[in-house]
Amino acid sequence: HVTLVESGGGLVQAVGALRLSCAASGSTLSINVIAWYRQAPGKQRELVAGIGSGRMTSVADFVKGRFTLSRANAKRTVYLQMNSLKPEDTAVYYCHYRDIHGRNYWGQGTQVAVSS
């Protein structure tokens, strides 16, 4: 089992920056997908960025050039660096792990609010 805990969210003005962190505990050796999602009020949860088993990083078009996902400490910690934030980035952000058996693990979410 894997437990994920996000941190780093908060209130920031537009064009500001935040760095989100996700700390993982438990058995992470079988993890092959790491991603960040977000969910705004009244909207579906959407993929922001992810790293697959081939270590290829993908970033959604709406954050292209602004957000960067990275991993450290053998999958124990994952980061989402968010620059040039916009009000439309306001959402609860979740880290997500998936293992080779198809099991999914989610953090509790961290709130990001961007003001004009």
Side-chain angles (χ1 to χ4, degrees):
H1 185 73
V2 177
T3 299
L4 306 175
V5 180
E6 302 99 331
S7 63
L11 176 64
V12 65
Q13 290 187 358
V15 310
L18 286 172
R19 188 195 193 201
L20 306 184
S21 298
C22 178
S25 61
S27 181
T28 61
L29 292 178
S30 62
I31 296 296
N32 66 342
V33 177
I34 302 174
W36 283 93
Y37 287 75
R38 71 185 186 186
Q39 187 167 23
K43 299 184 67 176
Q44 296 294 116
R45 190 170 298 186
E46 60 185 355
L47 177 66
V48 177
I51 301 175
S53 59
R55 305 296 180 87
M56 183 180 71
T57 300
S58 63
V59 180
D61 287 342
F62 52 82
V63 297
K64 182 177 181 293
R66 300 188 296 120
F67 291 9
T68 303
L69 186 155
S70 62
R71 176 177 61 85
N73 300 320
K75 298 180 284 187
R76 294 291 182 176
T77 306
V78 62
Y79 305 99
L80 184 68
Q81 179 66 48
M82 307 187 296
N83 299 325
S84 302
L85 284 162
K86 305 174 181 179
E88 51 262 45
D89 294 321
T90 296
V92 177
Y93 285 72
Y94 301 88
C95 65
H96 167 250
Y97 280 37
R98 180 180 293 147
D99 67 16
I100 59 175
H101 307 293
R103 291 187 288 257
N104 295 282
Y105 306 93
W106 293 91
Q108 84 289 346
T110 185
Q111 176 70 58
V112 172
V114 184
S115 66
S116 300

